[in-house]
Amino acid sequence: MIQQVEQPLIEIHDLTVTYHRKPVLWGIDFTLPKGIIAGIMGPNGAGKSTLIKAMMGLVPVGSGYVKLFGEDLKEVRAKVSYVPQKESVDWDFPASALDVVLMGRYGKLKWFQRPRKADRDVAMDCLKKVGMEAFANRQISQLSGGQQQRVFIARSLAQDADLYLMDEPFAGVDIATETAIVELLKEMTSEGKTVVVVHHDLQSAENYFDWLVLMNLRLVASGPIKEVMTKELLQETYGGKLNILTTVTDLLNKQDFPIREK
Amino acid sequence: MFNYSILFNPNVMYVVLGCLLMSVSASTVGTFTFLRKKSLIGDAVAHAILPGICLAFILNGTKNPLYLIPGAFLTGWLSILLVDAITHHSKIKQDAAISIVLSVFFGTGIWLLTVIQHSGMDNQSGLDAFLFGKAAALTSFDVWVFGIVALLLIAAIWAFYKEFQLLSFDKDFAQSIGYKTQLLELLLSGLTVLAIVTGIQAVGVVLMASLLIAPAATARFWTDKLHVMIFIAILISSVSAIIGASVSYIAPSMPTGPWIVMVLSLCAVLTFIFAPHKGIVVKWLKQRRNQQQMLEENILKTFYYLTQTTPDSDKAYFKLTDIQKQRSLRESELNKGIEALISEGYIEKQNDQYYTLTKEGLHQGKRVAHLHRLWELYLTEYLRIAPDHVHDDAETIEHVLTPELQERLEIILGNPEIKPEVK
Ligand SMILES: Nc1ncnc2c1ncn2[C@@H]1O[C@H](COP(=O)(O)OP(=O)(O)OP(=O)(O)O)[C@@H](O)[C@H]1O
Ligand SMILES: [Mg+2]
C-alpha cells in the first residue's frame, strides 16, 4: 500500500543507498504531505537512519533523488531540522545542556558571529518546552540518557524549522515526557509544520502519527496510519522478527489499541 | 651559583618567546585534536614532517625556515590525508593506519637524512636537530616567522570557534545545517600540521605529540567548558614553555624541549592528583570525611541507645568501655571520635571516666537511630527482606539518607518507634 500525494512536502524518488557496495536502501519511492506527523518504522537495521541521513544529504546517494518543499536540500536547508540518533555523539564533550541547544541557532549565525542574547532566550525557552530548564547549566555527561535525548529535541526546536526529521527522539525518554513532547509536536503540525519521526513502539504509534511509513531495506507501505497499520503489512515489515511480531499480532487480534498501559 | 641575569640577555629572550609562541599555538589547536579523538594523529604528523624537511633542504640547500616549513607542511598534511584514506577505504582501523603511515614516513625521513649527511652538502649540520628540537639555537628571524604562524593559528581558531566546536561535537548535525564539514576538517588538520611544524622546532619530533595533546588533556580535568578549557591549556603550555626554556639556560647543559615536556608532565601529574571532582586527593578527602562522619554518628547513636536504656535519664553517664561493649571499636578510633564530638559540642566529659550527651548530641543520636529504624522497616515491610538480614544494610544507609528521603520514608512508614539495640 503506497499512497502518493499531490504537491508533496517530501518527495523521494527511486532512492538507492549502498555502503561499501552493500545495498541498504532499495528503490525507495514515496511522498509525504504537509502538516502531518509521520512515523517511520521497521526492524533494527531496516535502514531507517540511513533513509533520514540520505534525506539530509549525509550519505552518498546511489541513484534517485530527494526533494524537500519541491526543491533540493541545499535551497531549503534553513527550513529543515535534523535530530541524529543520540549514540552518534560523544557526551563527554565539554559543553552544558544550554550550549548544545544553542547549537540549534548556529545555522542562523554568520561566520565569526557568536550566539546573541536573543539566541540564548530561544535556547532557554526550548529547554523549558522539554522540561529541562533546571538542567541548563549541567555538563551533558552528567545527564541521564533520556535527558540527553531531550536536549537533542530542544536543539531541534531551537532551529525553528518547518520540517523536522527526528531519528528515534524518544529512545530512553520516560512516558510522561514523551507524551508532552508529542503534544508539542502535534501543536506544531497544526501550525503547518511537518514532523517525521523514526519510532520503535507500535503500541503508541497509532496515537502519535497521522501517517506511517513501513520499511525493511525496501519500502513496504506508506499512507495514512489507519490504512497502513494492518496485520499483513506489519507482518511483511517485521516478518521473521518473531518477538515483536507475536506481540503485535496478539495486539491486533484484539483489533483495538489500548491508549496506554497504566 | 646560577647566573640569573642571563635570562635577560636578548638571545635568551628570543628563545623563551619562541618556545612560548609555539607551545601556545600547539595547545590551542591541540584542544580540538584531543576532543576529536585524533590525539595519535599528532604523533604521525610529527614524524611525517621529517622527510618534508629533508626534501626541502635537498631542493633548496638552505635551512631557512621559510623554505623548510612548506616542505614539512606538505608531507605532514599528506600523512593525515593518507591515514584518513586508509581508514575510509579499507578495514584497517585508525590506530593501525597511523602506525603504518608513521613508520613509512619517518623511515623515509631518516633515510633522506642519512643521504644528506653523506652527500657532503655544506651547512647540512644541524638538520638532525629536528629530531630532538633546537630551541636553544633559535634566531630572532626564526622567532618572527614562528610568531606570525602562531598568531595566524590562534586567529583562525578564534574566528572559526563555533564551527570547530560543532564539528568536534556533532559532525552530522554540522553538515545538516549547511556547514562545509569537509572544508572545515581540512582547515583544522591544516592548522594542526602548521602547529606541529612550528612546535617541532622547540621540542623535536619525538616529544611533539605531548606538546600538542598534554595541555588539552590536563585542562579537561579542570573544567567542563570549552572556552575555559582552551584558556587553561594555553596557560599550562605557556607556563611550561617559560619554565622549560628558562631552566635550560640556568643550567646550560640541559636541553630545552625535554624540559618543556617535563614541566607539562608535572602539570598533568599534579592535575590527576589535585583536580576538583576527579582528582585523587579530593576523592581521598571525601572518603576520609565520610569515615569520620560514620564514626561520629555511630558513637552518638550508641550513646543514645544507652541513654534510652538507663531508667533515670539524669544519670546517663557512661564510660568508654560501655560503648565498646555495644560496638566493637578500636580504642584509638573511639578516642578520636569522642574528642571530635566533644569539640563539636555533642558530648561532654563529666570527669576522668564518664561522658554524657549534650541536648544536641541526644538529638543527633536519636536522628541516626531513627533513620536506622526507618530503613530496617522499609526493607522488611516493603521489600520483604527477612528481619535478621536488614541490620547490616541499615548500618550503612543510616549515614547517607537525606532529609528528603527521610520524609518520604516517614510518609510511607509513619513515625515508628525506635527499638534500642543494646546487647
Ligand atoms: N556507516 C556504515 N557502514 C556500513 N554499513 C552501515 C553503516 N551504517 C549502517 N550500516 C548498515 O546499514 C543497515 C541499515 O542501518 P541503519 O542504521 O539505517 O538501520 P536502522 O533502521 O536505523 O536501525 P536501528 O533501528 O537499529 O537504528 C544495517 O545493516 C547496517 O549494518
Ligand atoms: Mg537507526
Side-chain angles (χ1 to χ4, degrees), chain B residues 153-171:
Chain B
L153 282 174
I154 292 171
I157 295 283
W158 181 82
F160 292 102
Y161 176 79
K162 83 175 183 306
E163 285 76 19
F164 287 154
Q165 176 207 30
L166 189 48
L167 179 75
S168 310
F169 175 62
D170 193 344
K171 189 177 147 193

Side-chain angles (χ1 to χ4, degrees), chain B residues 95-382:
Chain B
D95 53 346
I98 285 174
S99 18
I100 295 169
V101 170
L102 184 152
S103 27
V104 169
F105 274 75
F106 194 55
T108 316
I110 294 284
W111 173 71
L112 285 172
L113 200 60
T114 325
V115 170
I116 292 171
Q117 275 164 350
H118 290 112
S119 70
M121 284 172 85
D122 20 317
N123 78 14
Q124 49 91 357
S125 73
L127 209 53
D128 56 347
F130 277 98
L131 282 179
F132 305 107
K134 51 151 199 168
L138 289 179
T139 64
S140 75
F141 180 67
D142 291 334
V143 172
W144 271 109
V145 174
F146 300 141
I148 290 168
V149 171
L151 284 181
L152 274 178
L153 282 174
I154 292 171
I157 295 283
W158 181 82
F160 292 102
Y161 176 79
K162 83 175 183 306
E163 285 76 19
F164 287 154
Q165 176 207 30
L166 189 48
L167 179 75
S168 310
F169 175 62
D170 193 344
K171 189 177 147 193
D172 276 356
F173 185 79
Q175 199 175 338
S176 85
I177 64 170
Y179 280 11
K180 308 265 174 296
T181 49
Q182 269 176 342
L183 221 60
L184 283 171
E185 274 184 327
L186 217 59
L187 177 63
L188 197 50
S189 60
L191 295 177
T192 314
V193 178
L194 208 54
I196 293 175
V197 170
T198 43
I200 264 186
Q201 312 283 322
V203 298
V205 169
V206 184
L207 297 178
M208 186 55 221
S210 52
L211 196 63
L212 191 71
I213 301 302
T218 311
R220 186 67 187 90
F221 268 77
W222 293 97
T223 178
D224 285 330
K225 294 193 167 67
L226 180 57
H227 59 277
V228 182
M229 183 178 160
I230 295 177
F231 182 76
I232 295 179
I234 289 179
L235 196 74
I236 291 173
S237 65
S238 314
V239 170
S240 308
I242 293 172
I243 295 181
S246 309
V247 166
S248 71
Y249 269 98
I250 293 167
S253 58
M254 299 282 189
T256 312
W259 265 110
I260 295 179
V261 175
M262 279 290 285
V263 181
L264 272 181
S265 315
L266 191 69
C267 289
V269 170
L270 289 179
T271 294
F272 299 149
I273 299 175
F274 293 110
H277 309 303
K278 297 178 210 160
I280 298 171
V281 168
V282 171
K283 280 189 189 156
W284 180 74
L285 281 177
K286 211 186 266 170
Q287 238 170 32
R288 248 183 64 120
R289 206 170 47 229
N290 288 345
Q291 270 169 2
Q292 180 74 15
Q293 183 199 343
M294 269 166 92
L295 174 70
E296 290 180 19
E297 290 186 347
N298 282 336
I299 295 174
L300 285 177
K301 186 179 65 174
T302 314
F303 253 108
Y304 174 77
Y305 289 148
L306 288 171
T307 314
Q308 291 308 98
T309 45
T310 311
D312 189 352
S313 57
D314 283 347
K315 296 219 177 74
Y317 303 118
F318 305 99
K319 290 189 284 191
L320 291 189
T321 45
D322 294 331
I323 303 264
Q324 275 172 315
K325 261 183 237 156
Q326 302 298 333
R327 286 195 85 86
S328 55
L329 281 170
R330 267 184 291 120
E331 196 162 333
S332 61
E333 236 182 335
L334 182 59
N335 282 330
K336 197 176 82 180
I338 292 278
E339 241 166 66
L341 286 167
I342 290 176
S343 75
E344 286 162 0
Y346 290 130
I347 282 181
E348 273 170 2
K349 196 169 187 174
Q350 206 56 30
N351 52 43
D352 267 359
Q353 289 192 333
Y354 285 91
Y355 298 84
T356 186
L357 282 177
T358 62
K359 212 170 111 213
E360 294 73 27
L362 192 74
H363 181 75
Q364 285 292 334
K366 183 175 178 188
R367 185 184 65 87
V368 181
H370 177 61
L371 290 178
H372 183 100
R373 186 70 194 133
L374 274 178
W375 192 249
E376 280 189 346
L377 275 177
Y378 178 69
L379 290 184
T380 47
E381 312 232 316
Y382 266 78

Side-chain angles (χ1 to χ4, degrees), chain A residues 177-229:
Chain A
T177 314
E178 182 174 321
T179 323
I181 292 173
V182 169
E183 278 313 310
L184 191 76
L185 297 182
K186 283 187 177 162
E187 217 171 279
M188 283 159 47
T189 55
S190 69
E191 294 162 13
K193 307 197 169 194
T194 309
V195 184
V196 178
V197 173
V198 174
H199 194 59
H200 270 298
D201 184 33
L202 280 163
Q203 257 186 57
S204 53
E206 204 189 33
N207 299 314
Y208 291 177
F209 305 135
D210 311 308
W211 196 278
L212 186 64
V213 175
L214 288 176
M215 61 180 295
N216 194 348
L217 303 180
R218 65 198 174 81
L219 186 70
V220 176
S222 163
I225 187 138
K226 290 266 177 339
E227 292 163 44
V228 173
M229 263 284 185

Side-chain angles (χ1 to χ4, degrees), chain B residues 17-52:
Chain B
L17 195 63
C19 290
L20 185 69
L21 288 166
M22 291 167 193
S23 309
V24 165
S25 49
S27 57
T28 314
V29 178
T31 306
F32 288 98
T33 318
F34 171 75
L35 287 175
R36 296 175 69 224
K37 309 212 171 5
K38 304 229 164 179
S39 302
L40 284 173
I41 291 268
D43 215 19
V45 173
H47 284 80
I49 276 171
L50 190 62

Side-chain angles (χ1 to χ4, degrees), chain A:
Chain A
M1 215 244 46
I2 295 162
Q3 183 169 325
Q4 305 290 356
V5 296
E6 302 276 309
Q7 295 196 330
L9 187 92
I10 298 178
E11 180 190 358
I12 294 178
H13 180 77
D14 192 25
L15 185 76
T16 303
V17 174
T18 59
Y19 284 122
H20 305 309
R21 292 200 208 94
K22 182 183 99 183
V24 174
L25 295 180
W26 297 76
I28 305 277
D29 209 292
F30 68 89
T31 44
L32 292 182
K34 185 180 171 214
I36 52 154
I37 304 189
I40 297 184
M41 303 185 77
N44 292 130
K48 305 180 294 294
S49 300
T50 309
L51 175 63
I52 298 239
K53 282 186 185 165
M55 289 160 82
M56 290 309 300
L58 298 174
V59 292
V61 167
S63 72
Y65 63 80
V66 176
K67 285 214 185 296
L68 308 174
F69 303 92
E71 300 190 64
D72 270 352
L73 173 71
K74 52 178 188 299
E75 311 295 330
V76 292
R77 235 183 243 288
K79 292 200 277 183
V80 187
S81 160
Y82 166 61
V83 181
Q85 246 173 311
K86 196 192 87 209
E87 290 71 25
S88 64
V89 306
D90 172 20
W91 289 90
D92 255 338
F93 194 83
S96 65
L98 185 64
D99 290 338
V100 173
V101 179
L102 268 176
M103 292 173 186
R105 305 296 296 173
Y106 284 10
K108 305 199 185 310
L109 300 175
K110 297 186 205 61
W111 299 106
F112 303 105
Q113 202 178 9
R114 300 280 188 265
R116 301 152 297 184
K117 209 149 178 257
D119 295 315
R120 280 175 190 281
D121 295 349
V122 174
M124 258 333 264
D125 197 45
C126 293
L127 273 173
K128 212 171 279 167
K129 283 183 188 162
V130 298
M132 288 285 294
E133 71 269 34
F135 298 91
N137 292 315
R138 181 82 70 91
Q139 150 72 8
I140 50 174
S141 69
Q142 286 162 16
L143 297 172
S144 74
Q147 291 170 334
Q148 292 171 346
Q149 192 68 66
R150 282 150 74 177
V151 169
F152 257 15
I153 296 175
R155 179 177 73 175
S156 169
L157 298 177
Q159 287 182 269
D160 193 21
D162 292 327
L163 170 63
Y164 294 83
L165 304 176
M166 304 182 161
D167 201 345
E168 300 195 28
F170 301 131
V173 172
D174 64 65
I175 285 296
T177 314
E178 182 174 321
T179 323
I181 292 173
V182 169
E183 278 313 310
L184 191 76
L185 297 182
K186 283 187 177 162
E187 217 171 279
M188 283 159 47
T189 55
S190 69
E191 294 162 13
K193 307 197 169 194
T194 309
V195 184
V196 178
V197 173
V198 174
H199 194 59
H200 270 298
D201 184 33
L202 280 163
Q203 257 186 57
S204 53
E206 204 189 33
N207 299 314
Y208 291 177
F209 305 135
D210 311 308
W211 196 278
L212 186 64
V213 175
L214 288 176
M215 61 180 295
N216 194 348
L217 303 180
R218 65 198 174 81
L219 186 70
V220 176
S222 163
I225 187 138
K226 290 266 177 339
E227 292 163 44
V228 173
M229 263 284 185
T230 65
K231 189 176 171 180
E232 290 71 31
L233 288 173
L234 287 173
Q235 203 145 22
E236 204 180 324
T237 312
Y238 290 93
K241 307 282 186 293
L242 283 173
N243 274 338
I244 306 173
L245 192 61
T246 36
T247 344
V248 174
T249 34
D250 283 349
L251 194 74
L252 282 163
N253 280 341
K254 290 190 217 145
Q255 279 305 325
D256 63 343
F257 294 86
I259 309 293
R260 263 251 170 257
E261 264 184 312
K262 263 250 302 247

